[in-house]
């Protein structure tokens, strides 16, 4: 996820191929945006996600569901909106007045809005049922799931706030008219936008050197800092709906470094001497790449999360090895006890020992 992103654009809407988890790691099977797109504008071409700009209607409904912020729309930045939410006079967020489709927000955005002041967002989903974007109810279900996850997290950490839902049945014809009106407003934005528009908060964040963390996760961690000092409990033994934990089996790990190399957010990173591995809960987005790429299956998920570690991005050392010289191949390897012989030589010795049997011993 470097800064030299390959970006596909469709007027206001853009897709950064190198921020996409599936494009970053060949075996990743993320297909959230493909399933959600009401027009089927996102395709797999040679196992790489590709935006077909002639099919994209720039509804922005997929933006909130992308864990790595690969999608952006110039006319609206959900991160900027979340940060400035408390300055609004009305807590209601609605695609009729203040935002694009509410699919532009995920649970992180909603929590940032709720945690940064007294006002808690009220999500107006009364138009979802008759919305053309709500193909087979997918978009509405996704929006409801984001709200549910955010509220589940607030209950879990004992913060007395709740993101509410406002819903009234709306006539389909009226909603379709509003939908068309929304696209007319989008065209006006394009016409009024200078040739070099000012970068959004999200675009500016992604343009920084060596940035791999989604901005929405950075904002959520910063928002949590305001609360961790006042909470009675900050360490939890159960799983979190939003944050993830990992463990590494000392005996199974070969310290090959693949997990640290392919982690898209640097949640797993090597110790300074390259002989161990750290893990930062606050950086993990639960993509599962580390577990999939580990040849010995040494990395597994673990229950529990710690808010202080998450908010302040503290890291835990999962494994550390002393490097010793293998007495067979004379190469250094991570020592785990017993005879000083590396796994490769030990396996070779067991598998091909018959090749070295002397004739007198046969």
């Amino acid at each position: 996820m470097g800064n030299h992103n390959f970006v596909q654009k469709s007027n206001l809407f853009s897709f950064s191929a190198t921020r996409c988890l599936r494009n970053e790691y060949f075996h990743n099977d993320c297909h959230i945006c493909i399933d959600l797109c009401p027009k089927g504008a996102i395709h797999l071409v040679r196992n790489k996600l590709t935006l077909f700009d002639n099919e994209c209607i720039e509804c922005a409904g997929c933006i909130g569901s992308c864990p790595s912020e690969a999608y952006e729309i110039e006319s609206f930045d959900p991160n900027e909106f979340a940060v400035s939410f408390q300055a609004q006079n009305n807590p209601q967020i609605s695609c009729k007045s203040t935002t694009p489709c509410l699919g532009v927000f995920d649970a992180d955005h909603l929590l940032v809005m709720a945690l940064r002041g007294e006002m808690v967002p009220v999500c107006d989903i009364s138009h979802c049922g008759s919305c053309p974007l709500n193909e087979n109810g997918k978009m509405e279900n996704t929006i409801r799931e984001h709200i549910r996850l955010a509220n589940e997290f607030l209950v879990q950490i004992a913060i007395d706030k709740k993101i509410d839902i406002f819903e009234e049945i709306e006539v389909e014809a009226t909603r379709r008219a509003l939908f068309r009106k929304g696209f007319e407003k989008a065209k006006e934005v394009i016409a009024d936008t200078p040739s070099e528009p000012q970068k959004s908060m999200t675009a500016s964040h992604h343009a920084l050197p060596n940035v791999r963390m989604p901005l929405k996760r950075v904002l959520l961690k910063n928002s949590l800092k305001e609360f961790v000092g006042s909470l009675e409990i900050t360490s939890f033994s159960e799983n979190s709906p939003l944050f993830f934990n990992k463990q590494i089996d000392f005996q199974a790990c070969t310290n090959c470094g693949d997990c640290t190399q392919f982690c898209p957010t640097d949640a797993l990173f090597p110790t300074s001497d390259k002989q161990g591995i750290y893990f930062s809960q606050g950086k993990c987005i639960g993509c599962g790449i580390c577990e999939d790429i580990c040849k010995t299956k040494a990395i597994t998920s673990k229950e529990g999360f710690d808010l202080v570690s998450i908010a302040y991005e503290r890291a835990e050392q999962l494994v550390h090895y002393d490097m010793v010289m293998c007495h067979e191949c004379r190469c250094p390897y991570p020592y785990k006890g017993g005879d000083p012989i590396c796994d490769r030589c030990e396996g070779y010795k067991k598998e091909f020992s018959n090749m070295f049997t002397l004739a007198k011993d046969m």
Side-chain angles (χ1 to χ4, degrees):
M1 291 190 185
N3 292 319
H4 303 291
N5 291 342
F6 173 65
V7 178
Q8 293 177 278
K9 297 200 71 173
S10 173
N11 292 325
L12 295 174
F13 192 75
S14 64
F15 166 61
S16 174
T18 52
R19 291 198 64 81
C20 172
L21 292 175
R22 186 156 189 156
N23 289 359
E24 178 81 353
Y25 177 61
F26 183 82
H27 298 288
N28 185 268
D29 192 34
C30 182
H31 48 82
I32 299 171
C33 57
I34 296 176
D35 293 343
L36 191 60
C37 182
K39 297 300 179 182
I42 305 164
H43 300 257
L44 275 176
V45 179
R46 297 178 183 175
N47 206 46
K48 299 289 186 181
L49 256 68
T50 304
L51 174 69
F52 282 27
D53 56 2
N54 61 320
E55 298 175 4
C56 176
I57 59 172
E58 303 177 341
C59 66
C62 60
I63 292 179
S65 294
C66 180
S68 56
E69 293 181 337
Y71 296 100
E72 295 179 43
I73 190 165
E74 289 180 13
S75 57
F76 186 85
D77 184 355
N79 286 314
E80 282 185 2
F81 184 90
V83 170
S84 61
F85 171 75
Q86 293 295 330
Q88 293 189 161
N89 296 324
N90 188 347
Q92 188 175 95
I93 52 176
S94 170
C95 62
K96 283 209 310 188
S97 56
T98 55
T99 72
C101 170
L102 295 194
V104 77
F105 302 113
D106 78 348
D108 286 22
H109 297 122
L110 296 172
L111 285 167
V112 170
M113 295 182 216
L115 294 173
R116 291 190 167 226
E118 296 298 320
M119 194 165 63
V120 179
V122 178
C123 299
D124 180 6
I125 62 171
S126 57
H127 332 297
C128 292
S130 58
C131 179
L133 301 180
N134 192 33
E135 187 76 22
N136 298 321
K138 291 179 183 177
M139 194 67 73
E140 180 180 356
N141 290 338
T142 298
I143 294 168
R144 287 182 182 272
E145 178 64 6
H146 292 163
I147 297 169
R148 186 193 69 79
L149 289 174
N151 282 331
E152 183 181 332
F153 181 73
L154 290 172
V155 170
Q156 189 175 34
I157 65 175
I159 291 181
D160 188 22
K161 292 188 174 189
K162 181 184 179 183
I163 296 158
D164 289 322
I165 292 176
F166 173 80
E167 49 186 325
E168 288 182 353
I169 298 175
E170 185 181 50
V171 179
E172 183 175 354
T174 304
R175 177 59 195 142
R176 288 185 183 275
L178 287 167
F179 183 66
R180 287 194 298 271
K181 184 179 178 182
F183 280 107
E184 290 303 318
K185 288 173 66 177
K187 291 177 183 178
E188 291 175 12
V189 171
I190 297 173
D192 295 338
T193 301
S195 57
E196 294 185 4
Q198 184 178 358
K199 280 187 177 180
S200 67
M201 178 186 289
T202 302
S204 298
H205 173 76
H206 291 165
L208 294 171
N210 302 317
V211 166
R212 294 162 71 88
M213 278 292 295
L215 179 57
K216 59 186 177 183
R217 185 47 59 103
V218 175
L219 296 176
L220 177 55
K221 289 186 293 184
N222 289 340
S223 302
L224 285 171
K225 289 177 183 177
E226 302 296 321
F227 285 87
V228 291
S230 60
L231 295 177
E232 292 184 8
I233 301 174
T234 58
S235 184
F236 301 84
S237 58
E238 65 271 22
N239 287 330
S240 163
L242 298 176
F243 295 102
F244 310 91
N245 207 351
K246 300 290 179 182
Q247 60 188 356
I248 296 179
D249 184 332
F250 179 85
Q251 292 299 327
C253 177
T254 62
N255 199 32
C256 67
D258 285 352
C259 60
T260 60
Q261 180 180 352
F262 282 89
C263 179
T265 58
D266 290 330
L268 288 164
F269 58 96
T271 56
S272 57
D273 59 6
K274 309 296 183 184
Q275 293 174 208
I277 298 171
Y278 279 110
F279 172 68
S280 174
Q281 274 191 304
K283 292 182 177 181
C284 182
I285 57 174
C287 65
I289 290 175
C290 59
E291 294 182 37
D292 182 75
I293 203 171
C294 182
K295 299 178 184 67
T296 60
K297 301 304 176 186
I299 304 176
T300 54
S301 295
K302 175 185 174 183
E303 292 188 349
F305 66 102
D306 183 80
L307 282 181
V308 175
S309 296
I310 289 169
Y312 291 95
E313 223 167 77
R314 295 179 181 174
E316 172 190 5
Q317 184 173 284
L318 299 186
V319 288
H320 193 272
Y321 301 96
D322 292 323
M323 303 297 285
V324 301
M325 192 76 73
C326 172
H327 68 192
E328 292 287 343
C329 65
R330 313 305 295 172
C331 293
Y333 77 99
Y335 182 65
K336 302 172 186 176
D339 292 335
I341 181 171
C342 68
D343 292 341
R344 181 179 57 182
C345 289
E346 186 175 24
Y348 185 85
K349 189 175 181 181
K350 288 179 180 178
E351 190 172 350
F352 300 105
S353 59
N354 61 316
M355 294 175 61
F356 303 100
T357 304
L358 297 177
K360 69 181 181 63
D361 297 325
M362 295 180 66

